[in-house]
């Protein structure tokens, strides 16, 4: 998949625990875990907005496009 989720990296950089973020955002730790693993098909903009607000980051800090297709 060409979109890679970097939420784990940003959490580690900011020394934030998943439980804290999940509580602030209003989602379960299980759903946050699925998001961190990139096992979701989409994310609501309001969820992404709350994650970015808590982590003081931009959506581009959390998501990366990497073209995996051979040239």
């Amino acid at each position: 998949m060409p979109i890679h989720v970097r939420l784990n990296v940003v959490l580690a950089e900011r020394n934030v625990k998943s439980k804290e973020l999940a509580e602030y955002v209003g989602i379960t730790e299980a759903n946050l875990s699925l998001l961190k693993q990139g096992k979701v098909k989409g994310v609501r903009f309001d969820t992404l907005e709350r994650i970015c607000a808590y982590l003081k980051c931009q959506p581009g800090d959390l998501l990366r496009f990497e073209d995996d297709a051979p040239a």
Side-chain angles (χ1 to χ4, degrees):
M1 174 187 280
I3 301 293
H4 297 274
V5 180
R6 300 184 63 251
L7 183 55
N8 270 342
V9 174
V10 177
L11 286 171
E13 289 174 349
R14 288 165 173 71
N15 200 27
V16 173
K17 300 212 181 300
S18 295
K19 182 176 181 173
E20 296 171 32
L21 181 60
E23 287 176 6
Y24 178 84
V25 173
I27 60 176
T28 65
E29 288 182 66
N31 282 339
L32 185 63
S33 178
L34 290 172
L35 178 59
K36 289 189 320 185
Q37 296 172 46
K39 294 186 176 182
V40 295
K41 296 288 182 186
V43 60
R44 294 175 55 139
F45 279 165
D46 61 330
T47 301
L48 184 58
E49 181 181 328
R50 291 185 61 82
I51 291 171
C52 288
Y54 191 81
L55 296 175
K56 296 177 178 45
C57 68
Q58 295 294 315
D61 297 330
L62 302 173
L63 306 171
R64 290 278 192 258
F65 175 77
E66 296 175 16
D67 192 2
D68 294 338

